[in-house]
Amino acid sequence: MDNRPINADRLWADLMDLADITEPGRPWTRRAFSALYLTGRDLIANRMRAAGLTVRLDTAGNLIGRKEGRRTGLGTLVIGSHSDTVPEGGRFDGILGVAAGLEVARVLQERAIELDHALEIYDCLAEEVSPYGLSCVGSRAVAGTLTDAMLARTNDTGETLQAGIDRMGGDSTRLTDAKRTNIAAFLELHIEQGPVLEDETLEIGVVTAISGVTRVLIEVTGRPDHAGTTPMASRADALVAGAELVLAVRRRAESQSARGLGHFVATVGEARVIPNAANVVPQFMSLLLDIRSEVRADLTAFLAALEGDVAAIATHHVGVTAVLKPVSDNPPAPSDPQLMADFRHAADELGLKQRDLASGAGHDMAWFAHIAPSAMIFVPCLGGRSHCPEEWADRDAVAKGTDVLFETLLRADRRLAQTTPSE
Amino acid sequence: MDNRPINADRLWADLMDLADITEPGRPWTRRAFSALYLTGRDLIANRMRAAGLTVRLDTAGNLIGRKEGRRTGLGTLVIGSHSDTVPEGGRFDGILGVAAGLEVARVLQERAIELDHALEIYDCLAEEVSPYGLSCVGSRAVAGTLTDAMLARTNDTGETLQAGIDRMGGDSTRLTDAKRTNIAAFLELHIEQGPVLEDETLEIGVVTAISGVTRVLIEVTGRPDHAGTTPMASRADALVAGAELVLAVRRRAESQSARGLGHFVATVGEARVIPNAANVVPQFMSLLLDIRSEVRADLTAFLAALEGDVAAIATHHVGVTAVLKPVSDNPPAPSDPQLMADFRHAADELGLKQRDLASGAGHDMAWFAHIAPSAMIFVPCLGGRSHCPEEWADRDAVAKGTDVLFETLLRADRRLAQTTPSE
């Protein structure tokens, strides 16, 4: 694509230069709150400045590059994502969204394009689960949902998240200053982290919603008998009952996913057995479920069915009881319909194959959606793999996504300026 | 029972006095190779001496009290068990067998009964799984099956088992001296550690065999996809496949136990999931199986069926593979038929309700059976519970078991002396 607005080589160089800033021998690792993370942000800030942006840190430690608009009072268009990685993660998750914002700013600069709105590129602090056990630290602050309890969480060394934010250049005494009320639109570009676009050989996925994330714990309690002496018929084996519930979760999730109203998946990712000794019939098993639902009704139906399975354990297994306990519940964050339409039109104009799909993963967008019209797009990634060193997206694929982001920005700027009278 | 040979109160006092020698605040814990263990053995050695026994430690660290017989050349009758406990274990497992031997020696002394055979009471070193990861240390040495590889095992502090044996008063440079070739009969009394006698309101269980203990590992490998983004149909979930195998083990074990030739149980006691993270589809699961079989053919049939289940995983779950690996295999140790008959006759004479049953748990007897005619009896324990602080056996129940042990000793002494010509 010779007439594409953005420079694919320049974008790729940003990605690879950031990838080089990794823990040696443990690619690709640039954890939020580390010294390496600050090194990565220095590179981003320098390239923001070279693209004509004014760089600042907000009080929550978000790194922001700003370009003023032709008009005032219109609010700000934001392109954002994050530059931190999980341990032994990839080179694209989050980083692509920040690099794409940077490239968009450079194209505006070199073509001397003036937007009506101000534009800000956000490198949000700590989108991945941080050493303090919390994800989306920066974007939660922008939405005003970072609580004192969250700030009091500690890392392995006992440092609080609050102190960590200050160490990253924030000012936790004025955290509410990071909250935004004047964002006209939030846009994000991200790798899919799933196999759908690759499987269907599509180039752009327009995200309909960030799925809600609900976590529940199933606790199964039996009796710790001697594994050698207790006859099979006399056992109350928590692992056997727990295994039935693992299969029930799978069966219910498959059926809910097939007949549901939107994206739906449920996973038992964590399982613990007590005492977990070779010669003792398991006394206890816990199962931590992660449930992602684009549509709330799917979650409700799934949990109602699962409650029945959990209650039935006591009747199927004499001496075994099971309970289901809520752990956390973040509702779905739907995309703004008009921004979705902007994305779709931009992709059509560029001749790119696209579809709508929900995001099963969490993103900074979910928090910006609390306070502003927000939307995001996906580009395909190899094998749907993510959060691993093998995470990969093609140069051409990320360039196409950035093209769409650029065209959508121009389109949203025009549309939103028209609907807001001049001052 | 007023005319019982043994003194129930005296026996009970031994049990309770040994129970008092426990880690404070963590009853009932007297681990082999600890200082407390040596304190317990001091008490046992003193009471052995008071019962007229000559006390020695063999080179493997077994504590032995000996009373000479009227005749020489007949070999030695041994009553044995162990005085160590598991962490937070009970007051009867093993300890009852040693205390019963002590009480038998006292009755012989106070009634001035002379046996034809010499009698030895063995307090075997470390029957429970020791800090070096090995069980039945002392009785393995008696059987001559303690290998150099076993002796080289280390505890948490890096000390070898060999050094531990020396620290307990053994002499590891002359370990083969502990091996016995002149034992005429080995007798052991133990709590059942299972529910059969209590359920059937029986007083004595005559053990037909110590079940073989076979351990195998099933390793299930899938793919660690993102739990939020990967559609249900695209997953290779090792935990789901592993859960099916847990249920297959249970189903196969129930059926083998119902139609088998002897005692048969199989347990998945240990399960591990990798990465065991809430938001990652499980990549790997391992299941450690403990299989106890009185009859070898039951084990063979069970493993053949299970191999089929394991192989079928790859066809039922795209992208998942499972393998079954041998870990360890100790064959069953059958009891000596004549000693079993001695036990049965003694119980009948005393008017006690009895049955034959296999032991699902391992015991020192299994190792003595390698080198001598051996047999053991069980007395009921509360709820079949063992290896826990709640482990309990009634004063009357342990006294009855000791009565049977005493009468059986006299019976075996006569029988074996008759079949061996005087020198």
Side-chain angles (χ1 to χ4, degrees), chain B residues 2-328:
Chain B
D2 292 316
N3 62 342
R4 72 174 0 144
I6 71 106
N7 182 325
D9 291 337
R10 200 163 54 184
L11 171 65
W12 192 255
D14 286 342
L15 291 170
M16 294 304 110
D17 290 348
L18 277 163
D20 285 344
I21 303 170
T22 176
E23 287 187 21
R26 198 185 177 210
W28 310 94
T29 306
R30 190 173 55 252
R31 297 287 287 150
F33 300 99
S34 69
L36 266 182
Y37 179 68
L38 293 180
T39 304
R41 283 190 142 188
D42 280 346
L43 183 148
I44 296 165
N46 285 335
R47 296 194 183 181
M48 282 177 168
R49 286 187 199 97
L53 303 179
T54 308
V55 175
R56 72 179 194 279
L57 277 172
D58 71 8
T59 58
N62 293 306
L63 174 67
I64 305 165
R66 179 177 172 94
K67 172 184 171 68
E68 299 300 334
R70 279 190 303 211
R71 290 170 55 187
T72 56
L74 284 185
T76 304
L77 302 179
V78 173
I79 293 174
S81 200
H82 61 95
S83 65
D84 62 317
T85 74
V86 299
E88 297 178 76
R91 289 163 281 185
F92 300 89
D93 174 355
I95 301 152
L96 171 59
V98 176
L102 199 52
E103 174 58 19
V104 165
R106 279 188 297 239
V107 174
L108 294 176
Q109 182 188 42
E110 68 190 1
R111 298 195 179 187
I113 298 173
E114 294 283 317
L115 299 176
D116 282 327
H117 297 76
L119 170 66
E120 293 187 0
I121 312 301
Y122 261 69
D123 172 19
C124 298
L125 180 68
E127 192 266 355
E128 306 291 357
V129 176
S130 68
Y132 311 87
L134 190 74
S135 65
C136 295
V137 172
S139 48
R140 284 178 203 263
V142 170
T145 61
L146 203 54
T147 65
D148 287 345
M150 292 172 183
L151 291 168
R153 292 193 186 197
T154 54
N155 66 8
D156 279 351
T157 71
E159 184 190 52
T160 61
L161 173 59
Q162 179 168 4
I165 288 172
D166 290 339
R167 191 160 52 76
M168 291 296 101
D171 177 357
S172 64
T173 64
R174 298 186 298 117
L175 261 187
T176 51
D177 290 4
K179 185 176 174 185
R180 296 296 294 267
T181 55
N182 63 340
I183 295 178
F186 174 86
L187 303 175
E188 185 169 0
L189 166 63
H190 206 280
I191 57 168
E192 183 195 341
Q193 301 182 275
V196 174
L197 296 179
E198 187 184 70
D199 286 354
E200 301 180 8
T201 55
L202 301 176
E203 291 156 310
I204 298 292
V206 177
V207 173
T208 54
I210 311 288
S211 294
V213 184
T214 304
R215 293 202 172 147
V216 299
L217 189 69
I218 299 178
E219 291 182 342
V220 186
T221 305
R223 201 174 51 238
D225 292 313
H226 191 299
T229 62
T230 312
M232 297 311 297
S234 305
R235 297 171 172 220
D237 188 324
L239 174 56
V240 168
E244 283 187 6
L245 289 172
V246 168
L247 297 181
V249 167
R250 171 64 170 231
R251 195 169 56 242
R252 299 284 183 200
E254 280 176 345
S255 119
Q256 192 61 48
S257 163
R259 72 160 187 267
L261 303 167
H263 177 70
F264 185 88
V265 290
T267 310
V268 180
E270 276 186 39
R272 294 182 196 285
V273 175
I274 295 175
N276 217 34
N279 61 349
V280 183
V281 176
Q283 173 179 25
F284 178 86
M285 185 178 203
S286 67
L287 306 172
L288 182 59
L289 271 71
D290 178 291
I291 311 160
R292 311 281 176 125
S293 53
E294 181 182 1
V295 178
R296 202 68 177 169
D298 290 346
L299 174 73
T300 309
F302 172 81
L303 283 178
L306 190 62
E307 284 274 15
D309 298 324
V310 169
I313 285 293
T315 57
H316 294 158
H317 297 271
V318 175
V320 181
T321 56
V323 292
L324 192 150
K325 298 178 174 177
V327 174
S328 63

Side-chain angles (χ1 to χ4, degrees), chain B residues 293-370:
Chain B
S293 53
E294 181 182 1
V295 178
R296 202 68 177 169
D298 290 346
L299 174 73
T300 309
F302 172 81
L303 283 178
L306 190 62
E307 284 274 15
D309 298 324
V310 169
I313 285 293
T315 57
H316 294 158
H317 297 271
V318 175
V320 181
T321 56
V323 292
L324 192 150
K325 298 178 174 177
V327 174
S328 63
D329 185 29
N330 286 313
S335 300
D336 177 68
Q338 292 184 291
L339 289 174
M340 284 175 63
D342 291 336
F343 271 131
R344 290 192 201 104
H345 288 138
D348 276 343
E349 267 178 22
L350 291 161
L352 300 175
K353 288 173 285 179
Q354 61 171 300
R355 67 165 278 178
D356 286 1
L357 82 176
S359 172
H363 292 291
D364 290 307
M365 189 216 104
W367 298 99
F368 279 87
H370 283 233

